[in-house]
Amino acid sequence: MKISVIGAGNVGSLAAMRLAQEGLGDIMLIDVAGGLALGKALDLEDARPILKYNYNIKASSDIDQIKGSDCIVITAGLARKPGMTREELLAKNASIIKSVCLKIKELASGAIVVVVTNPLDIMTNYALKVTGFRSNRVLGMGISLDSARFANIISGELNIPATDVEAMVIGSHGEGMLPLGKLAKVKGVLLEEFITEEKISDLVKRTIGRGAEIVANLGTGSAFFAPSAAILAIVKAIVKDEKKTIGACAYLNGEYGIKGSCIGVPCRLGKNGIEAIIELDLDQELRNKLIASSNLIRQTAEQLGY
Ligand SMILES: NC(=O)c1ccc[n+]([C@@H]2O[C@H](COP(=O)([O-])OP(=O)(O)OC[C@H]3O[C@@H](n4cnc5c(N)ncnc54)[C@H](O)[C@@H]3O)[C@@H](O)[C@H]2O)c1
């Protein structure tokens, strides 16, 4: 099993480490920035005698080295620089996604592609368009991270283990995300049995703001520990054919009343990538919000020609 990670920045290198240490396959780490990927791969290799585990990690600045990959994670992208508008950032990252996806199409036409680069929903749509792959083979990591954040924030509020909480976020990976407070559970019991509706709304707001909270504290860059863990869970579900239900940005073809664009919904993941889209029984208000969010993603993508 060959797994390539394109982009050896904070998220990509940590994802490569987690994937290698989990023994999911031979890892190829790629970055355009000189020896960045190689330096990180050599460093990761040096840990093997200490960890007593001979995982295989290689690296290159030459994207052709993704040839024959079974699974490819795209974390290549730019962060917003001072003075840069969102649209400018979007255009820069879209051009990176385009060049990378054309290479994937040429050299790894059988791969399953996991997009991580932001803005996630638009980049996943675009990756699907550029590769021309079947929609089950291109997905985005975003709402599984948001769901983990929601669960963690609930656990902090109730002072219970994070692993006791089941929480889900759907929709776009951004401010339009929809944390599903009414469906959140603690060991099978609805969250609303433990705290008031107002408190749940407060936790929802904190979840939506979590990414920005982390960015503000870091001072430079954005989150990478939990994002890389979320990448590991998705790639593992695919590589090990786990048939696990994990939230992912997926192309919808009528599900949730949305047709022809990608947005975050629960998906069953296995060796074929997205093997089923799970349709939750949402109330009309949430359904409308999800559709509105999808329309916004589609409009932005269309306006910008992605
Ligand atoms: N979807 C999510 O939940 C989520 C979470 C965290 C970060 N992100 C996004 O992931 C991306 C990466 O984040 P990061 O913190 O690792 O950023 P980073 O700046 O640390 O790393 C990005 C890397 O991409 C490389 N790169 C740029 N163009 C490339 C190309 N054409 N080919 C190969 N490599 C290329 C850069 O050299 C850099 O090393 C960003 O777009 C970020 O917003 C998404």
Side-chain angles (χ1 to χ4, degrees), residues 6 9-11 31-32 36 75-77 96 116-118 141 145 173 223 227:
I6 305 177
N10 283 337
V11 177
D31 201 293
V32 281
L36 181 74
T75 71
I96 292 172
V116 180
T117 306
N118 275 323
M141 186 291 286
L145 169 65
H173 174 61

Side-chain angles (χ1 to χ4, degrees), residues 6-13 30-33 36 40 63 74-79 93 95-97 99-100 115-120 140-143 145-146 149 173 221-224 227:
I6 305 177
N10 283 337
V11 177
S13 55
I30 304 282
D31 201 293
V32 281
L36 181 74
K40 289 194 174 177
I63 194 157
I74 308 176
T75 71
L78 298 183
N93 282 352
S95 91
I96 292 172
I97 291 288
S99 67
V100 161
V115 180
V116 180
T117 306
N118 275 323
L120 194 265
M141 186 291 286
I143 59 159
L145 169 65
D146 299 324
R149 287 172 170 169
H173 174 61
S222 55
F224 44 90

Side-chain angles (χ1 to χ4, degrees), residues 231-266:
I231 293 169
L232 170 66
I234 286 181
V235 175
K236 190 172 171 209
I238 294 167
V239 168
K240 298 255 182 204
D241 194 23
E242 288 179 329
K243 317 282 187 205
K244 250 191 184 170
T245 298
I246 298 180
C249 181
Y251 180 85
L252 299 187
N253 191 21
E255 299 89 350
Y256 292 95
I258 296 169
K259 205 170 165 71
S261 68
C262 300
I263 195 159
V265 291

